Amino acid sequence: PNQVEGFWVLTEQNQRMQIVLLQEKTFIPQRSLEVPAGLQQPEALTYDGTSLWVGGTGEGASLYQLDPADGRIIETYEGISTEGLTYAQGAIWYTTDKQLFKLGEAEPVMPLGLSQEHSRIGDIAIYGDKVYYISREVGRVKMKSLQSGAFLGEFNAYFYNAAIITASANHVHLMMPGGLYCTFSDYDGTIVSDEPTGLPGVVTGYMPTQPIQ
């Protein structure tokens, strides 16, 4: 059931959140799954090549591992609130309270500083030694070293509420409000490409079906 090349999307449609599999390039929906009933404020989505992972914020938030064929809950990690979520280097990484965590480890990997006190992290991505994270309210992508925690730079993503899709060598891929899929250079923030997807509603998570290791 996972052979469709495309993207998994956590999106709001008809005033409810759903996980949708979109075909690559055409963005035609191939499958739609309900989010777990206990997840009141879905915020983040990732895919590890076998399972979907969805999380959110709010009272009693938990992280869920799902079967991508039918949305069945494989495992629930209770008490984990997730602002951003990604799969990289064989592990699940998430942010809560502006800190980066690795699933299975109690202590945070590092703090992720934001310029405004009330800003919150919209999403994260990891590629190599770079951790990318975005301030949802301010719309700036920031970078830190995963190994040392050193700040590596930042650039303007131009839109509030943009979600990081994933990262690749020297590039960051984001989904903008209104369904605009953009690729940025992480060197100077130049927009390398942009493509309308026609996605309705608010997209809060977006992950390729073939995750970048």
Side-chain angles (χ1 to χ4, degrees):
N2 302 324
Q3 298 304 310
V4 175
E5 294 294 326
F7 303 91
W8 286 104
V9 180
L10 177 63
T11 183
E12 182 181 350
Q13 298 187 26
N14 300 320
Q15 297 185 335
R16 64 176 184 168
M17 297 300 293
Q18 292 183 310
I19 301 171
V20 181
L21 175 61
L22 302 176
Q23 191 173 51
E24 188 177 19
K25 296 182 180 179
T26 66
F27 298 100
I28 296 174
Q30 303 295 307
R31 191 179 313 151
S32 181
L33 307 174
E34 297 294 327
V35 299
L39 191 57
Q40 297 181 6
Q41 294 180 317
E43 293 279 352
L45 176 76
T46 195
Y47 179 65
D48 65 9
T50 302
S51 299
L52 285 164
W53 298 77
V54 62
T57 57
E59 185 177 353
S62 296
L63 176 63
Y64 295 88
Q65 181 183 5
L66 307 179
D67 186 328
D70 55 12
R72 175 180 58 87
I73 297 175
I74 298 172
E75 190 162 354
T76 302
Y77 297 82
E78 296 183 353
I80 294 180
S81 176
T82 52
E83 300 161 333
L85 185 64
T86 193
Y87 172 78
Q89 302 178 10
I92 297 295
W93 307 76
Y94 64 94
T95 58
T96 185
D97 295 328
K98 303 179 185 178
Q99 297 188 93
L100 177 68
F101 288 84
K102 185 177 182 180
L103 186 62
E105 298 182 2
E107 297 299 318
V109 177
M110 71 176 78
L112 298 176
L114 296 176
S115 58
Q116 292 190 6
E117 179 183 355
H118 299 294
S119 291
R120 62 192 179 103
I121 291 173
D123 205 359
I124 58 169
I126 295 174
Y127 186 82
D129 184 50
K130 290 181 179 179
V131 179
Y132 300 87
Y133 57 104
I134 188 167
S135 166
R136 188 176 292 276
E137 287 84 358
V138 180
R140 293 189 67 81
V141 176
K142 299 172 180 285
M143 297 167 279
K144 274 192 168 185
S145 166
L146 182 61
Q147 183 174 359
S148 69
F151 184 71
L152 301 177
E154 61 183 307
F155 62 85
N156 190 357
Y158 301 103
F159 290 94
Y160 300 157
N161 295 318
I164 296 179
I165 303 165
T166 187
S168 56
N170 302 315
H171 292 94
V172 188
H173 312 280
L174 289 90
M175 177 60 70
M176 303 301 188
L180 186 64
Y181 171 48
C182 294
T183 296
F184 290 81
S185 164
D186 72 3
Y187 176 71
D188 57 7
T190 301
I191 297 178
V192 177
S193 64
D194 59 78
E195 181 179 4
T197 66
L199 287 175
V202 178
V203 176
T204 61
Y206 198 81
M207 190 69 187
T209 56
Q210 300 297 323
I212 298 172
Q213 301 297 320

